[in-house]
Amino acid sequence: MGMIKLPNMRFYTYNGVFDEEKKLGQQISVDVVIHYPIETAVRDDDLNTTISYVDIYELVKDVTTQQSFNLMESLANAILMALLKQWHTC
């Protein structure tokens, strides 16, 4: 089983419980690790049969910057659900 790691992706977001966090925002860092059968996924050297780092980054960016959550745990769960929805068959 292989893995893709995207550590320390940084985004400016308006998540948090307090009004100041929602108004002023803050920079957060997101780490993603995806385990998947890389040995079979990259066999044909075709990006369409594997997971693109760029696509992962863009999905995490969209969830993080286009939605607002009170809890960072809720944001993390939304990222997880979006990743699973996109690549559950890989």
Side-chain angles (χ1 to χ4, degrees):
M1 184 68 67
M3 71 176 74
I4 291 179
K5 293 182 181 182
L6 281 89
N8 201 32
M9 293 181 285
R10 300 186 63 81
F11 306 104
Y12 202 82
T13 183
Y14 295 90
N15 294 294
V17 174
F18 301 109
D19 291 339
E20 294 81 18
E21 293 174 305
K22 293 182 184 294
K23 182 178 177 182
L24 301 174
Q26 67 273 336
Q27 192 174 74
I28 65 169
S29 177
V30 178
D31 298 332
V32 170
V33 177
I34 298 176
H35 296 270
Y36 79 110
I38 193 169
E39 300 82 8
T40 55
V42 298
R43 204 176 320 182
D44 5 342
D45 195 30
D46 182 356
L47 184 58
N48 295 316
T49 62
T50 188
I51 300 174
S52 165
Y53 286 75
V54 173
D55 292 343
I56 295 168
Y57 177 88
E58 290 299 324
L59 184 144
V60 173
K61 177 183 171 190
D62 289 348
V63 172
T64 303
T65 61
Q66 295 180 9
Q67 298 183 49
S68 181
F69 300 92
N70 288 326
L71 304 175
M72 290 297 115
E73 295 84 356
S74 297
L75 170 59
N77 188 63
I79 292 169
L80 173 62
M81 293 297 107
L83 289 167
L84 288 173
K85 181 178 178 184
Q86 183 67 32
W87 288 289
H88 75 281
T89 59
C90 291

